[in-house]
Amino acid sequence: MSADILIVDDETDIRLLISGILEDDGYRTRQAANAEQALDEVRARAPSVILLDIWLEGSSLNGLQLLEVIHKLRPHTPIIMISGHGTIEMAVNAIKIGAYDFIEKPFEADRLMLLVERAIESADLRRENFELRSRAGDPEKLIGDCSAVIGLKRTIARVGPTGSRVLIQGPAGSGKEIVARHIHKYSKRSKAPFVVVNCASLQSDRLQGILFGEGGEALKTGLLDQADGGTLLLDEVADMPLETQSRVVRILQDQRFERGNGQGAVEVDIRIIATTNRDLRAEIRDGRFREELFYRLSVVPLDVPPLSDRIEDIPKLAQYFMERAAKDSGTAPRMLAPDTVTALQSYVWPGNARQLRNVIDWLLIMAPGEPSEAIRADMLPVDLASDVTQMLRLERSDEIMMLPLREAREMFEREYLMAQVIRYGGNISRTALFVEMERSALHRKLKSLGVTTEVRLRRADATRRATTTAETQT
């Protein structure tokens, strides 16, 4: 989309001349003859650049006064001052107030175009720098080839370009923000800012300053200003205080807010994405979440599965986290031995992908051995290893040598298949695929070995212990 230039000058001929020059080069233009018209245009939609006459004869505000007001309304919009009687002192004052640059009449068309291009590039760089800071340290890839993640990627590709509001649901640590960033990436706003709001921080007494940036330097950090033209992520929206929710509903509905300090209403163009790890319908029934806010956010609901439902993705996730941790720390990545991968796939992961990432970070730092040595399962953190080793080891291997071949083979098959069923979370289809057996044949084998009941009991016990440990640590 071409840049939108607002031309503010009291002389009609000057406005038409500048408009013609810019439109010949592919820009879209708007015009205002006085301060009132200019403010109406600025509030209605943020321009890419403003060309502002310094005198504005017959207007309620002169150019410098209007510059100060516009800079408070749209602090990220570059403003180029133009004048036929400018002085160095005027130019310095304009820059101090917030102007991007200053050009004198009569000006050359090439000089004007150069300033406009540089102003747009400068604004784009500021947005890009903000975007890089907002995503610093976060993984950018959506890792996984399981059916749930493949379906998730397809949905993201479809919903991204639409501009619809999206409600992303999933347990803590499952990667909801990563999904939100991918939706932004696929949208028409991908080059605009992606701004994250911690909803727990939106207390009623702080809402004005956080979202609207009222007062002093905060004008440059209001989140709605920063997200204008881009995407605003309401992170863990169920944590938003109840008294704040009604005000947010109005912002979502009108896409406008009152700046305060007598500056009037400001319109913004923002796409809203929200995340939650709670059942919002249950929160509504319990009176903790407003129904009207839920329906405004949940235009397209999207579910992110827990890690326990996508254990076949764990090897790729672990490798990705290992490479990322090694790059961040400036060290060489280490390989994970097969028994370690099996152990990771056998764990319940109450903290989901975030917990897996933390475990991999710990292993890179704490696992003994040389960098070239693979990390074995017995090097896992104690709390994790205590669960998985009990589930995976062949408990009576010392007895095998005392048994006839048939009984030893039966014992081995029982322990082996039990470990694999646990590894795949009790999912017989996945287990059958890995051990290369027909599903029906595996069912018969498990039944003949008496595995199924015991596995369920162990899995339930492991889940209970892992969840209890996570809750205790929290």
Side-chain angles (χ1 to χ4, degrees), residues 253-328:
Q253 179 178 344
D254 300 334
Q255 289 271 303
R256 59 188 291 152
F257 62 92
E258 294 289 334
R259 172 78 74 194
N261 292 335
Q263 299 301 327
V266 179
E267 294 190 10
V268 289
D269 175 23
I270 298 173
R271 182 182 193 173
I272 303 293
I273 300 177
T275 69
T276 182
N277 60 15
R278 302 187 204 170
D279 182 349
L280 291 186
R281 294 185 185 276
E283 296 291 306
I284 292 170
R285 289 194 298 270
D286 294 338
R288 292 191 294 265
F289 200 80
R290 294 187 180 276
E291 190 172 19
E292 65 268 30
L293 179 56
F294 171 76
Y295 286 114
R296 292 197 181 279
L297 294 174
S298 187
V299 176
V300 180
L302 199 156
D303 292 317
V304 180
L307 188 57
S308 58
D309 286 353
R310 42 182 296 224
I311 59 173
E312 56 265 56
D313 291 336
I314 287 177
K316 284 189 175 182
L317 277 168
Q319 180 182 0
Y320 174 75
F321 290 143
M322 176 62 74
E323 292 173 354
R324 179 175 172 271
K327 183 178 180 180
D328 290 345

Coordinates of all heavy atoms in Angstrom, one line a residue, residues 253-328:
Q253 N -14.7 -1.9 20.1 CA -15.9 -1.6 19.3 C -15.6 -0.4 18.4 O -16.0 -0.4 17.2 CB -17.1 -1.4 20.2 CG -18.4 -1.0 19.4 CD -19.6 -0.9 20.3 OE1 -19.5 -1.3 21.5 NE2 -20.6 -0.3 19.8
D254 N -15.1 0.7 19.0 CA -15.0 1.9 18.3 C -13.7 2.2 17.6 O -13.5 3.0 16.7 CB -15.2 3.1 19.2 CG -16.6 3.0 19.9 OD1 -17.5 2.4 19.3 OD2 -16.8 3.5 21.0
Q255 N -12.6 1.4 18.0 CA -11.3 1.6 17.5 C -10.9 3.1 17.7 O -10.2 3.7 16.8 CB -11.1 1.2 16.0 CG -11.2 -0.3 15.8 CD -9.8 -0.9 15.9 OE1 -8.9 -0.6 15.1 NE2 -9.7 -1.9 16.7
R256 N -11.2 3.7 18.8 CA -10.9 5.0 19.1 C -10.8 5.2 20.6 O -11.4 4.4 21.4 CB -11.9 6.0 18.5 CG -13.3 5.9 19.0 CD -14.2 6.8 18.2 NE -14.0 8.2 18.5 CZ -14.3 9.2 17.7 NH1 -14.7 8.9 16.4 NH2 -14.1 10.4 18.0
F257 N -10.1 6.2 21.1 CA -9.9 6.4 22.5 C -9.7 7.9 22.8 O -9.3 8.6 21.9 CB -8.8 5.6 23.1 CG -7.4 5.9 22.6 CD1 -6.6 6.9 23.2 CD2 -7.0 5.3 21.4 CE1 -5.4 7.2 22.7 CE2 -5.7 5.6 20.9 CZ -4.9 6.5 21.6
E258 N -10.0 8.3 24.0 CA -9.8 9.7 24.4 C -8.3 9.8 24.9 O -7.9 9.2 25.9 CB -10.8 10.1 25.5 CG -12.2 10.1 25.0 CD -12.5 11.3 24.1 OE1 -11.7 12.3 24.2 OE2 -13.4 11.2 23.3
R259 N -7.6 10.7 24.3 CA -6.2 10.9 24.7 C -6.1 11.5 26.1 O -5.2 11.2 26.9 CB -5.5 11.8 23.7 CG -4.1 12.2 24.1 CD -3.1 11.1 23.9 NE -2.8 11.0 22.5 CZ -2.2 9.9 22.0 NH1 -1.8 8.9 22.7 NH2 -2.0 9.9 20.7
G260 N -7.1 12.4 26.4 CA -7.0 13.1 27.7 C -6.2 14.4 27.5 O -5.8 14.8 26.4
N261 N -6.1 15.2 28.5 CA -5.4 16.5 28.5 C -5.9 17.4 27.4 O -5.2 18.2 26.8 CB -3.9 16.3 28.2 CG -3.2 15.6 29.4 OD1 -3.6 15.7 30.5 ND2 -2.1 14.9 29.1
G262 N -7.3 17.3 27.2 CA -7.9 18.1 26.2 C -7.6 17.8 24.8 O -7.9 18.7 23.9
Q263 N -7.0 16.7 24.5 CA -6.6 16.4 23.1 C -7.7 15.7 22.3 O -7.6 15.6 21.1 CB -5.4 15.5 23.1 CG -4.1 16.0 23.8 CD -3.7 17.3 23.2 OE1 -3.8 17.5 22.0 NE2 -3.2 18.2 24.0
G264 N -8.8 15.3 22.9 CA -9.9 14.8 22.2 C -9.7 13.3 21.8 O -8.8 12.6 22.2
A265 N -10.6 12.8 20.9 CA -10.6 11.4 20.5 C -9.6 11.2 19.4 O -9.3 12.0 18.5 CB -12.0 11.0 20.0
V266 N -9.0 10.0 19.5 CA -8.0 9.5 18.5 C -8.4 8.2 17.9 O -8.8 7.3 18.7 CB -6.6 9.4 19.1 CG1 -5.6 8.9 18.1 CG2 -6.1 10.7 19.7
E267 N -8.4 8.1 16.6 CA -8.8 6.8 16.0 C -7.5 6.0 15.7 O -6.5 6.6 15.3 CB -9.6 7.0 14.7 CG -11.0 7.7 15.0 CD -11.8 7.7 13.7 OE1 -11.5 7.0 12.7 OE2 -12.9 8.4 13.8
V268 N -7.6 4.7 15.9 CA -6.5 3.8 15.6 C -7.0 2.7 14.7 O -8.2 2.4 14.6 CB -5.9 3.3 16.9 CG1 -5.2 4.3 17.6 CG2 -6.9 2.6 17.8
D269 N -6.1 2.0 14.1 CA -6.4 0.9 13.2 C -5.5 -0.3 13.7 O -4.4 -0.4 13.4 CB -6.0 1.2 11.8 CG -6.2 0.0 10.8 OD1 -6.9 -0.9 11.2 OD2 -5.5 -0.1 9.8
I270 N -6.1 -1.1 14.6 CA -5.4 -2.2 15.3 C -6.2 -3.5 15.1 O -7.4 -3.6 15.3 CB -5.3 -1.8 16.8 CG1 -4.5 -0.6 16.9 CG2 -4.6 -3.0 17.5 CD1 -4.4 -0.1 18.4
R271 N -5.4 -4.6 14.9 CA -6.0 -5.9 14.9 C -5.8 -6.5 16.3 O -4.7 -6.4 16.9 CB -5.3 -6.8 13.9 CG -5.9 -8.2 13.9 CD -5.2 -9.2 12.9 NE -6.0 -10.4 12.7 CZ -5.7 -11.3 11.8 NH1 -4.6 -11.2 11.1 NH2 -6.5 -12.4 11.7
I272 N -6.8 -7.1 16.9 CA -6.7 -7.6 18.2 C -6.6 -9.2 18.2 O -7.4 -9.8 17.6 CB -7.9 -7.2 19.1 CG1 -8.1 -5.7 19.1 CG2 -7.9 -7.8 20.5 CD1 -7.0 -5.0 19.8
I273 N -5.6 -9.7 18.9 CA -5.5 -11.1 19.2 C -5.4 -11.3 20.7 O -4.8 -10.5 21.3 CB -4.3 -11.7 18.5 CG1 -4.3 -11.5 17.0 CG2 -4.1 -13.2 18.8 CD1 -3.1 -12.0 16.2
A274 N -6.1 -12.3 21.2 CA -6.1 -12.5 22.6 C -5.7 -14.0 22.9 O -5.9 -14.9 22.1 CB -7.4 -12.3 23.3
T275 N -5.0 -14.2 24.1 CA -4.7 -15.6 24.5 C -5.3 -15.8 25.9 O -5.5 -14.9 26.6 CB -3.2 -15.8 24.5 OG1 -2.6 -15.0 25.6 CG2 -2.5 -15.4 23.2
T276 N -5.5 -17.1 26.2 CA -6.0 -17.5 27.5 C -5.7 -18.9 27.8 O -5.7 -19.8 26.9 CB -7.5 -17.2 27.7 OG1 -7.9 -17.6 29.0 CG2 -8.3 -18.1 26.7
N277 N -5.3 -19.2 29.0 CA -5.2 -20.6 29.4 C -6.3 -21.1 30.3 O -6.3 -22.2 30.9 CB -3.8 -20.8 30.2 CG -3.7 -20.0 31.4 OD1 -4.7 -19.4 31.9 ND2 -2.5 -19.8 32.0
R278 N -7.4 -20.3 30.3 CA -8.6 -20.7 31.1 C -9.8 -20.9 30.2 O -9.8 -20.5 29.1 CB -8.9 -19.6 32.1 CG -7.8 -19.2 33.1 CD -8.3 -18.3 34.1 NE -7.2 -17.5 34.7 CZ -7.4 -16.5 35.5 NH1 -8.6 -16.0 35.8 NH2 -6.3 -15.8 36.0
D279 N -10.8 -21.5 30.8 CA -12.1 -21.7 30.1 C -12.9 -20.4 30.3 O -13.5 -20.2 31.4 CB -12.8 -22.9 30.7 CG -14.1 -23.2 30.0 OD1 -14.6 -22.3 29.2 OD2 -14.7 -24.3 30.2
L280 N -12.9 -19.6 29.3 CA -13.6 -18.3 29.4 C -15.1 -18.4 29.7 O -15.7 -17.6 30.3 CB -13.3 -17.4 28.2 CG -11.9 -16.9 28.1 CD1 -11.7 -15.9 27.0 CD2 -11.3 -16.3 29.4
R281 N -15.7 -19.5 29.1 CA -17.1 -19.7 29.4 C -17.4 -19.9 30.8 O -18.4 -19.5 31.4 CB -17.7 -20.8 28.5 CG -17.6 -20.5 27.0 CD -18.3 -21.6 26.2 NE -18.2 -21.3 24.7 CZ -19.0 -20.5 24.0 NH1 -20.0 -19.9 24.6 NH2 -18.8 -20.3 22.7
A282 N -16.5 -20.7 31.4 CA -16.6 -21.0 32.9 C -16.4 -19.7 33.7 O -17.1 -19.4 34.7 CB -15.6 -22.0 33.3
E283 N -15.4 -18.9 33.2 CA -15.2 -17.6 33.8 C -16.4 -16.7 33.8 O -16.7 -15.9 34.7 CB -14.0 -16.9 33.2 CG -12.6 -17.6 33.3 CD -12.1 -17.6 34.8 OE1 -12.0 -16.5 35.3 OE2 -11.9 -18.7 35.3
I284 N -17.1 -16.7 32.6 CA -18.3 -15.9 32.4 C -19.4 -16.4 33.4 O -20.0 -15.6 34.1 CB -18.8 -16.0 31.0 CG1 -17.9 -15.3 30.0 CG2 -20.2 -15.4 30.9 CD1 -18.2 -15.6 28.6
R285 N -19.6 -17.7 33.5 CA -20.6 -18.2 34.5 C -20.3 -17.8 35.9 O -21.2 -17.6 36.7 CB -20.6 -19.8 34.4 CG -21.3 -20.3 33.1 CD -21.6 -21.7 33.2 NE -20.4 -22.6 33.4 CZ -19.7 -23.1 32.4 NH1 -20.0 -22.9 31.1 NH2 -18.6 -23.8 32.7
D286 N -19.0 -17.8 36.2 CA -18.6 -17.4 37.6 C -18.5 -15.9 37.8 O -18.1 -15.4 38.9 CB -17.2 -18.0 37.9 CG -17.3 -19.6 38.0 OD1 -18.4 -20.1 38.2 OD2 -16.3 -20.2 37.8
G287 N -18.9 -15.1 36.8 CA -18.9 -13.7 36.9 C -17.5 -13.0 36.9 O -17.4 -11.8 37.4
R288 N -16.5 -13.7 36.4 CA -15.2 -13.1 36.4 C -14.8 -12.6 35.0 O -13.7 -12.0 34.8 CB -14.2 -14.1 36.8 CG -14.3 -14.5 38.3 CD -13.1 -15.3 38.8 NE -13.1 -16.6 38.1 CZ -13.6 -17.7 38.6 NH1 -14.2 -17.7 39.8 NH2 -13.5 -18.9 38.0
F289 N -15.6 -12.8 34.0 CA -15.3 -12.3 32.6 C -16.6 -11.9 31.9 O -17.6 -12.5 32.0 CB -14.6 -13.4 31.8 CG -13.8 -12.9 30.6 CD1 -12.5 -12.4 30.8 CD2 -14.4 -12.9 29.4 CE1 -11.8 -11.9 29.7 CE2 -13.6 -12.5 28.3 CZ -12.4 -11.9 28.5
R290 N -16.5 -10.7 31.3 CA -17.7 -10.2 30.6 C -18.0 -10.9 29.3 O -17.1 -11.1 28.5 CB -17.5 -8.7 30.4 CG -17.4 -7.8 31.6 CD -17.3 -6.4 31.3 NE -17.2 -5.6 32.5 CZ -18.3 -5.2 33.3 NH1 -19.5 -5.6 33.0 NH2 -18.1 -4.5 34.4
E291 N -19.3 -11.2 29.2 CA -19.7 -12.0 28.0 C -19.5 -11.2 26.7 O -19.1 -11.7 25.7 CB -21.1 -12.4 28.2 CG -21.6 -13.4 27.1 CD -23.0 -14.0 27.4 OE1 -23.7 -13.3 28.2 OE2 -23.4 -15.0 26.9
E292 N -19.8 -9.9 26.8 CA -19.6 -9.1 25.6 C -18.2 -9.0 25.1 O -17.9 -9.0 23.9 CB -20.2 -7.7 25.8 CG -19.5 -6.8 26.8 CD -20.1 -6.9 28.2 OE1 -20.6 -8.0 28.5 OE2 -20.0 -6.0 29.0
L293 N -17.2 -9.0 26.0 CA -15.8 -9.0 25.7 C -15.4 -10.3 25.0 O -14.7 -10.4 24.0 CB -14.9 -8.7 26.9 CG -13.4 -8.7 26.6 CD1 -13.1 -7.7 25.5 CD2 -12.7 -8.4 27.9
F294 N -15.9 -11.4 25.6 CA -15.6 -12.8 25.0 C -16.1 -12.8 23.6 O -15.3 -13.3 22.7 CB -16.4 -13.8 25.9 CG -16.3 -15.2 25.2 CD1 -15.1 -16.0 25.3 CD2 -17.4 -15.7 24.6 CE1 -15.1 -17.2 24.7 CE2 -17.3 -17.0 24.0 CZ -16.2 -17.7 24.1
Y295 N -17.3 -12.4 23.3 CA -17.8 -12.5 21.9 C -17.1 -11.6 20.9 O -17.0 -11.9 19.7 CB -19.3 -12.4 21.9 CG -20.1 -13.6 22.4 CD1 -20.8 -13.5 23.6 CD2 -20.0 -14.8 21.8 CE1 -21.4 -14.6 24.1 CE2 -20.6 -15.9 22.3 CZ -21.3 -15.8 23.5 OH -22.0 -16.9 24.0
R296 N -16.6 -10.5 21.4 CA -15.9 -9.6 20.6 C -14.5 -10.1 20.3 O -13.9 -9.9 19.2 CB -15.7 -8.2 21.2 CG -17.1 -7.5 21.3 CD -16.9 -6.0 21.5 NE -18.2 -5.3 21.6 CZ -19.0 -5.0 20.6 NH1 -18.5 -5.2 19.3 NH2 -20.1 -4.4 20.7
L297 N -13.9 -10.9 21.2 CA -12.6 -11.4 21.0 C -12.6 -12.7 20.2 O -11.7 -13.0 19.4 CB -11.9 -11.7 22.3 CG -11.5 -10.4 23.2 CD1 -11.0 -10.9 24.5 CD2 -10.5 -9.6 22.5
S298 N -13.6 -13.5 20.5 CA -13.7 -14.9 19.9 C -14.3 -15.0 18.6 O -15.2 -15.8 18.4 CB -14.4 -15.8 20.9 OG -14.3 -17.2 20.5
V299 N -13.9 -14.1 17.6 CA -14.5 -14.2 16.3 C -14.0 -15.5 15.6 O -14.7 -16.3 15.0 CB -14.0 -13.0 15.4 CG1 -14.5 -13.2 14.0 CG2 -14.6 -11.7 16.1
V300 N -12.7 -15.8 15.8 CA -12.1 -17.0 15.3 C -11.3 -17.7 16.5 O -10.2 -17.3 16.9 CB -11.1 -16.8 14.2 CG1 -10.5 -18.1 13.7 CG2 -11.7 -16.1 13.0
P301 N -12.0 -18.7 17.2 CA -11.3 -19.4 18.2 C -10.3 -20.4 17.7 O -10.5 -21.0 16.7 CB -12.4 -20.1 19.0 CG -13.5 -20.3 18.0 CD -13.4 -19.1 17.0
L302 N -9.1 -20.5 18.4 CA -8.1 -21.4 17.9 C -7.4 -22.1 19.1 O -7.1 -21.4 20.1 CB -7.1 -20.5 17.2 CG -6.1 -21.2 16.2 CD1 -5.6 -20.2 15.2 CD2 -4.9 -21.7 16.9
D303 N -7.3 -23.4 19.1 CA -6.8 -24.2 20.2 C -5.3 -24.6 19.9 O -5.0 -25.1 18.9 CB -7.6 -25.4 20.4 CG -9.0 -25.0 21.0 OD1 -9.1 -24.1 21.8 OD2 -10.0 -25.6 20.5
V304 N -4.5 -24.4 20.9 CA -3.1 -24.9 20.9 C -3.0 -26.1 21.8 O -3.3 -26.0 23.0 CB -2.1 -23.8 21.3 CG1 -0.7 -24.3 21.3 CG2 -2.3 -22.5 20.5
P305 N -2.5 -27.3 21.2 CA -2.5 -28.5 22.1 C -1.4 -28.5 23.1 O -0.4 -27.9 22.9 CB -2.3 -29.6 21.0 CG -1.6 -28.9 19.9 CD -2.1 -27.5 19.9
P306 N -1.6 -29.2 24.2 CA -0.5 -29.3 25.2 C 0.6 -30.2 24.6 O 0.3 -31.0 23.6 CB -1.2 -30.0 26.4 CG -2.4 -30.7 25.8 CD -2.8 -29.9 24.6
L307 N 1.8 -30.2 25.1 CA 2.9 -31.0 24.6 C 2.6 -32.5 24.8 O 3.1 -33.3 23.9 CB 4.2 -30.6 25.4 CG 5.5 -31.2 24.8 CD1 5.7 -30.8 23.4 CD2 6.6 -30.7 25.7
S308 N 1.8 -32.9 25.8 CA 1.5 -34.3 26.0 C 0.7 -34.9 24.9 O 0.6 -36.1 24.7 CB 0.8 -34.5 27.3 OG -0.4 -33.7 27.4
D309 N 0.0 -34.0 24.1 CA -0.8 -34.5 22.9 C 0.0 -34.4 21.6 O -0.5 -34.8 20.6 CB -2.0 -33.6 22.7 CG -3.1 -33.8 23.8 OD1 -2.9 -34.8 24.6 OD2 -4.0 -33.1 23.8
R310 N 1.3 -34.1 21.7 CA 2.1 -34.0 20.5 C 3.5 -34.5 20.7 O 4.5 -33.8 20.4 CB 2.1 -32.6 19.9 CG 2.3 -31.5 20.9 CD 2.2 -30.1 20.3 NE 3.3 -29.8 19.4 CZ 4.0 -28.7 19.4 NH1 3.8 -27.7 20.3 NH2 5.0 -28.5 18.5
I311 N 3.6 -35.6 21.4 CA 5.0 -36.1 21.9 C 5.9 -36.5 20.7 O 7.1 -36.5 20.8 CB 4.8 -37.2 22.8 CG1 4.1 -38.4 22.2 CG2 4.2 -36.8 24.1 CD1 4.1 -39.6 23.1
E312 N 5.3 -36.8 19.5 CA 6.1 -37.1 18.4 C 6.9 -35.9 17.9 O 7.9 -36.0 17.2 CB 5.3 -37.7 17.2 CG 4.2 -36.8 16.7 CD 2.8 -37.1 17.4 OE1 2.8 -37.1 18.6 OE2 1.9 -37.4 16.6
D313 N 6.5 -34.7 18.3 CA 7.2 -33.4 18.0 C 8.4 -33.2 19.0 O 9.2 -32.3 18.7 CB 6.3 -32.2 18.0 CG 5.3 -32.3 16.9 OD1 5.6 -32.9 15.9 OD2 4.2 -31.7 17.0
I314 N 8.5 -33.9 20.1 CA 9.5 -33.6 21.1 C 10.9 -33.7 20.6 O 11.7 -32.8 20.9 CB 9.2 -34.5 22.3 CG1 8.0 -34.0 23.1 CG2 10.5 -34.5 23.3 CD1 7.6 -34.8 24.3
P315 N 11.3 -34.7 19.8 CA 12.6 -34.7 19.3 C 13.0 -33.5 18.5 O 14.1 -32.9 18.7 CB 12.7 -36.0 18.4 CG 11.6 -36.9 18.9 CD 10.5 -35.9 19.4
K316 N 12.2 -33.0 17.6 CA 12.5 -31.8 16.8 C 12.5 -30.5 17.7 O 13.3 -29.7 17.6 CB 11.4 -31.6 15.7 CG 11.7 -32.5 14.5 CD 10.8 -32.1 13.4 CE 11.1 -33.0 12.1 NZ 10.2 -32.6 11.0
L317 N 11.5 -30.5 18.7 CA 11.5 -29.3 19.6 C 12.8 -29.3 20.4 O 13.4 -28.3 20.6 CB 10.3 -29.4 20.5 CG 9.0 -28.9 20.0 CD1 7.8 -29.4 20.9 CD2 9.0 -27.4 19.8
A318 N 13.2 -30.5 21.0 CA 14.4 -30.6 21.8 C 15.6 -30.1 21.0 O 16.5 -29.4 21.5 CB 14.6 -32.0 22.3
Q319 N 15.7 -30.6 19.8 CA 16.9 -30.2 18.9 C 16.9 -28.7 18.7 O 17.9 -28.0 18.7 CB 16.8 -30.9 17.6 CG 18.0 -30.6 16.6 CD 17.9 -31.3 15.3 OE1 16.9 -32.1 15.1 NE2 18.8 -31.1 14.4
Y320 N 15.7 -28.1 18.4 CA 15.6 -26.7 18.1 C 16.0 -25.9 19.3 O 16.7 -24.9 19.3 CB 14.1 -26.4 17.7 CG 13.9 -24.9 17.6 CD1 14.4 -24.2 16.5 CD2 13.2 -24.2 18.5 CE1 14.2 -22.8 16.3 CE2 13.0 -22.8 18.4 CZ 13.4 -22.1 17.3 OH 13.2 -20.8 17.2
F321 N 15.5 -26.3 20.5 CA 15.8 -25.6 21.7 C 17.3 -25.7 22.1 O 17.9 -24.8 22.6 CB 15.0 -26.1 22.9 CG 13.5 -25.7 22.8 CD1 12.5 -26.6 23.3 CD2 13.1 -24.5 22.3 CE1 11.2 -26.3 23.2 CE2 11.8 -24.2 22.3 CZ 10.8 -25.1 22.7
M322 N 17.9 -26.9 21.8 CA 19.3 -27.1 22.0 C 20.1 -26.1 21.1 O 21.1 -25.5 21.6 CB 19.7 -28.5 21.7 CG 21.2 -28.8 21.9 SD 21.9 -28.5 23.5 CE 21.2 -29.9 24.4
E323 N 19.8 -26.1 19.8 CA 20.5 -25.2 18.9 C 20.4 -23.7 19.3 O 21.3 -22.9 19.3 CB 20.1 -25.4 17.5 CG 20.4 -26.8 17.0 CD 19.8 -27.1 15.6 OE1 19.0 -26.3 15.1 OE2 20.1 -28.1 15.0
R324 N 19.2 -23.4 19.7 CA 18.9 -22.0 20.1 C 19.7 -21.6 21.4 O 20.3 -20.5 21.5 CB 17.4 -21.8 20.4 CG 17.0 -20.4 20.8 CD 15.4 -20.4 20.9 NE 15.0 -19.1 21.4 CZ 14.8 -19.0 22.7 NH1 15.0 -20.0 23.6 NH2 14.4 -17.8 23.2
A325 N 19.7 -22.5 22.4 CA 20.4 -22.3 23.7 C 21.9 -22.2 23.4 O 22.6 -21.3 24.0 CB 20.1 -23.4 24.7
A326 N 22.4 -23.0 22.5 CA 23.8 -23.0 22.2 C 24.2 -21.7 21.6 O 25.2 -21.1 21.9 CB 24.2 -24.2 21.4
K327 N 23.4 -21.2 20.7 CA 23.6 -20.0 20.0 C 23.6 -18.8 20.9 O 24.5 -17.9 20.9 CB 22.6 -19.8 18.9 CG 22.8 -18.5 18.0 CD 21.8 -18.4 16.9 CE 22.0 -17.1 16.1 NZ 21.0 -17.0 15.0
D328 N 22.6 -18.8 21.8 CA 22.5 -17.7 22.8 C 23.7 -17.7 23.8 O 24.1 -16.6 24.2 CB 21.2 -17.8 23.6 CG 20.0 -17.6 22.7 OD1 20.1 -17.0 21.6 OD2 18.9 -17.9 23.2

